[in-house]
Amino acid sequence: MTTTTQARTTARMAALVSEIRNVVDRGLAPDLTAYLVGERLAPHLGAPELLAPEQREGHPDRYRQHVLHTEPDGSFSVVALVWLPGQETAIHDHVSWCVAGVHEGAESEVRYRLAPAIAPGSTARLVATEEVVNGQGDVCGFAPPGDIHKVRNSCRTKAISLHVYGADVSRLGSSVRRVYPEPTG
């Protein structure tokens, strides 16, 4: 993943940020915050005036993160992830609640759970629980624990998704807490 510096904010993005701020400032539980932020994000997805042209640029080797907004108090960040065909994340979880919405294209997501060790001395293992394909306009939200997943561009064109994290991504560099190895057998 690459991170770019914050670019100009479009009027539509400024309106979305204001809507998100109104939810986050309520100080609700993380899962309810994610749900309500998702409701605010959905109507903006697909709007051509949401992102500036430079915020739609990908990278030939890996998905690219564009930081669009970081709240001054660090309570939330908005990023655009730009994926070229076949690009994907590692299996990971997050440091905070998260909402993701597909702005353009489609993304496949595999969700996992940690299953307990089955023999003395063994370790917990990842088990795939669900695979979903999110298309333009689809929104999902979650809060740790239970947020282990892997995401990839599942279409033949560029995909762009908007992510809102309950953390200061510009300070942390990413919302990822842990990366997990691919399950075997």
Side-chain angles (χ1 to χ4, degrees):
M1 163 185 60
T2 58
T3 303
T4 61
T5 57
Q6 281 183 270
R8 71 179 173 89
T9 300
T10 66
R12 181 92 186 229
M13 180 58 64
L16 173 59
V17 166
S18 178
E19 293 174 39
I20 294 168
R21 183 180 298 120
N22 288 337
V23 171
V24 172
D25 284 352
R26 293 169 65 185
L28 302 170
D31 56 343
L32 182 54
T33 298
Y35 176 80
L36 293 172
V37 167
E39 284 187 332
R40 300 328 184 263
L41 175 61
H44 296 277
L45 296 171
E49 69 278 9
L50 184 61
L51 298 175
E54 63 271 17
Q55 297 164 338
R56 300 174 46 79
E57 293 176 3
H59 187 281
D61 299 327
R62 59 200 163 277
Y63 71 93
R64 187 173 200 174
Q65 175 180 275
H66 296 274
V67 177
L68 306 175
H69 175 81
T70 301
E71 193 67 358
D73 67 1
S75 60
F76 71 91
S77 300
V78 181
V79 302
L81 297 183
V82 181
W83 316 74
L84 299 181
Q87 292 178 338
E88 64 185 12
T89 68
I91 300 171
H92 65 283
D93 61 8
H94 294 272
V95 298
S96 69
W97 60 266
C98 173
V99 174
V102 178
H103 181 63
E104 178 181 308
E107 295 175 353
S108 295
E109 178 186 16
V110 179
R111 298 174 184 166
Y112 298 87
R113 70 175 173 82
L114 274 176
I118 53 176
S122 65
T123 60
R125 65 194 193 292
L126 284 176
V127 175
T129 60
E130 184 178 19
E131 183 166 353
V132 295
V133 176
N134 296 305
Q136 192 275 318
D138 289 339
V139 175
C140 63
F142 47 82
D147 62 324
I148 303 170
H149 66 159
K150 178 179 186 171
V151 181
R152 72 183 294 273
N153 177 345
S154 60
C155 60
R156 295 181 182 190
T157 61
K158 176 174 30 179
I160 301 174
S161 52
L162 293 181
H163 297 243
V164 183
Y165 301 109
D168 185 341
V169 171
S170 66
R171 184 179 60 79
L172 298 173
S174 167
S175 70
V176 173
R177 179 172 51 168
R178 286 181 295 232
V179 172
Y180 297 83
E182 289 284 338
T184 56

